[in-house]
Every structure is written in C-alpha cells, then in structure tokens.
Amino acid sequence: SAMREVQVEVPQVRWEDVGGQVTVKQALKEAVQWPQSRADELKKVGAKTPLGILLFGPPGCSKTLLARAVASEAGLNFLSIKGPELYSKYVGESEKAVRALFRKARQVAPSIIFIDEVDGMVASRSQSSGGGDIGSVGERVLSQLLMEMDGLVPLNGVVVVAATNRPDRLDSAFLRPGRLDRLLYVPPPDTATREAIFEIHLRNTETDSSVSLSLLASRTEGYTGADIAAICREAAMTALKEDINASSVSSRHFEHALSIVRASQSSVPISIYEKFMRPGFQAG
Ligand code: ATP
C-alpha cells in the first residue's frame, strides 16, 4: 500500500526527558492525555477537546520531542510524517497516501498523527497560481488532508499534532475551528530550561566536580536544545580523545565543546511568532 513506509510506533519519551517547557507540557496533557484518561469528566462538563494542535517555534527547541512525549505518556500510537514527504515520497499517490495515513491512524487508535514541517505542504500550494504540476498536487493533497481532519470525531481517539517553524507560511485553512485549533508556542529555552536540558543529556555521563550545570546554562544564552545536546556529545568525545580510558568529563572538555558548537541562529525572527501567540488569535 501507499503507506507501507509510515511506521506506527509507541515512543519511549517520558515527560522528564524534556527539559523545561512546563506550560506546553501542561497544555498537551490537557489536550491529548485527558481525553484518554479523563474522558468521562470532560464529557460531564461539556469540555471540548481539540482534534488538532499546532506546535510552533524556532527549530531545535523540542517540538518533535514534546509530540513524542505526549504520545508516550498517553500510551498512544504515533504515526509521523513530514509535510513535504507527502509530495515527494508518494509521487502520483499523494492523496491516497493521506487517506491511508488517516485510515491507519483510526485502525490503531488511540493515536497521534504527527505532521512535522506542516508549512512545507503549503509552499507548494501557493505555487499553484503558476499552474505548475507541483502546485496542483499540493492543492489536492492539502484539501485531502483538510477533509480528513474535518472527518475526525471528538474522542474517537485520533489527534493531529502538527509542527512548524514558520506559522506565518501556514495556509490559513489549517487554523480554522475544528482543524489545528490549539496553538502552542514552544519557545527557545530560558536559563533554567537549558540547565534542565544539560542535566538530561548528561544523565549517563560521569562529570567531575569542576563541571557546573548552572554555569553552563548561563553561558549558553541563544543555544537551542539541539545545540546543548551537541555540546554534551562533543564534551564527552573530547574527554575520550584525550584519554580513551577517561572515566569522567571535566569543565575543560566543555570549554572545548563550547568553542566548537555555536548557537544555531534561527533565520526566523522571534517577532514572527508573536502574532500567533496573541490570546485572541486562538482559533476555535
Ligand atoms: P525542528 O523544528 O528542527 O524539527 P524541533 O523543535 O522539533 O526541531 P526536536 O527535534 O524536538 O526539535 O529537538 C532536537 C533535539 O534537541 C532533541 O532530539 C533533543 O536531543 C534536543 N532537545 C531539544 N529540546 C530539548 C529539551 N527541552 N529537553 C531535552 N532535549 C532537548
């Protein structure tokens, strides 16, 4: 079938594997975990739960990790696809692929369909004004996707979680009520969050007393979670290169790592995100 390649998995990511992001975690618990674990209570008060959630924010700051964590904590099957893949991977079969994706998600419900780089589905659509082939495929895939999303029924156990670095490039049709109507900003890590991320990535690394995680956190302003993971890997490798029998990592190894791993500069100004953070902006 067209969707042979979409794997269904149950991720093994716990909440404590994601540093900080307390607000987003709580929102995801309420939006995804509660409909599973507290369905009766929600029904009693007539609470509406979202069928679609959009995680937006700069690259490397845990959108994917959070999506995997909520699936894992709620015991949901996880089907993951990247927006642009829906064109390239299934040329000529893109709409079928979308239908198959949702069919599979319903079969293995309760489940999450995670669409990463969801803005990548829309770039193609806007090209359609040129009448190109990609454009019309984009148009059709998008409308198929929206149709599938409109067909989801509350509490039937399929939730769509989409992620993007470019909410401004997202087709506004996605944000209509009943579609991606819960918008969650995933910000770059603040100092406390960076310290937590260091702690997580050094859980299995012996560090000596010269290493201060709070100092490392304060020196990594502007670094993403992905950058911090890279620093930790680099520091451990540096220690090993120095002494293959090294039993712990020291501050000088982190110094070296810091001199190599630079803060990745997002090309997207933070101001892009502000518009989507406005409370009044929330669709639905
Ligand atoms: P992109 O937009 O580029 O897809 P993303 O926001 O989805 O990025 P992730 O893929 O979740 O980012 O993060 C990349 C890696 O960075 C993770 O696999 C993890 O190792 C590390 N990381 C990022 N944020 C955190 C965090 N809060 N806690 C622990 N690790 C983190």
Side-chain angles (χ1 to χ4, degrees):
S1 90
M3 293 310 292
R4 246 191 318 259
E5 289 149 274
V6 171
Q7 300 289 329
V8 178
E9 54 167 331
V10 183
Q12 297 295 324
V13 180
R14 314 314 314 191
W15 287 126
E16 58 264 28
D17 298 329
V18 188
Q21 305 293 14
V22 180
T23 314
V24 189
K25 283 180 187 170
Q26 184 59 33
L28 284 173
K29 279 179 200 170
E30 290 167 17
V32 181
Q33 246 176 308
W34 285 13
Q36 305 300 323
S37 61
R38 305 185 187 180
D40 292 342
E41 290 89 334
L42 289 175
K43 224 180 237 166
K44 224 181 285 167
V45 296
K48 275 212 272 178
T49 53
L51 295 163
I53 295 161
L54 179 68
L55 301 173
F56 67 99
C61 293
S62 76
K63 295 183 294 298
T64 306
L65 201 59
L66 284 161
R68 295 173 65 83
V70 76
S72 161
E73 291 282 355
L76 307 182
N77 283 307
F78 192 75
L79 297 88
S80 155
I81 186 118
K82 286 191 198 310
E85 271 176 15
L86 279 172
Y87 307 109
S88 52
K89 217 168 161 181
Y90 311 105
V91 180
E93 289 196 89
S94 295
E95 296 146 275
K96 247 197 249 166
V98 172
R99 278 198 298 274
L101 174 66
F102 278 77
R103 195 184 316 124
K104 195 154 182 181
R106 285 191 298 270
Q107 278 165 6
V108 300
S111 59
I112 286 183
I113 296 176
F114 179 62
I115 309 174
D116 203 1
E117 299 172 29
V118 65
D119 54 282
M121 311 207 42
V122 186
S124 307
R125 191 201 206 197
S126 54
Q127 285 164 16
S128 64
S129 48
D133 263 3
I134 300 173
S136 47
V137 174
E139 194 90 44
R140 291 202 310 269
V141 173
L142 184 64
S143 50
Q144 185 66 44
L145 183 63
L146 296 172
M147 214 158 84
E148 293 289 349
M149 288 176 73
D150 289 343
L152 294 177
V153 184
L155 304 177
N156 86 339
V158 179
V159 179
V160 176
V161 178
T164 182
N165 307 320
R166 295 304 306 249
D168 55 317
R169 290 197 183 149
L170 201 61
D171 197 300
S172 58
F174 271 118
L175 303 178
R176 299 218 183 103
R179 293 174 179 168
L180 300 177
D181 55 9
R182 187 70 52 92
L183 272 54
L184 299 176
Y185 178 49
V186 184
D190 59 15
T191 314
T193 298
R194 293 197 300 277
E195 184 169 344
I197 298 173
F198 270 111
E199 206 172 324
I200 289 165
H201 287 275
L202 293 171
R203 265 198 304 232
N204 301 316
T205 305
E206 198 67 47
T207 53
D208 71 18
S209 59
S210 65
V211 177
S212 156
L213 299 190
S214 67
L215 188 64
L216 283 170
S218 66
R219 288 186 53 191
T220 44
E221 176 82 48
Y223 283 68
T224 66
D227 297 336
I228 292 173
I231 290 174
C232 295
R233 277 195 304 273
E234 191 60 43
M237 281 309 289
T238 307
L240 277 187
K241 278 191 257 180
E242 191 182 279
D243 173 5
I244 193 66
N245 297 313
S247 57
S248 66
V249 182
S250 304
S251 60
R252 66 175 186 284
H253 304 127
F254 280 97
E255 288 304 328
H256 182 70
L258 281 168
S259 73
I260 294 177
V261 182
R262 297 274 154 217
S264 50
Q265 298 288 330
S266 173
S267 57
V268 190
I270 288 286
S271 58
I272 291 274
Y273 301 122
E274 275 156 12
K275 175 174 162 224
F276 296 87
M277 285 180 229
R278 286 203 310 259
F281 186 84
Q282 302 262 349

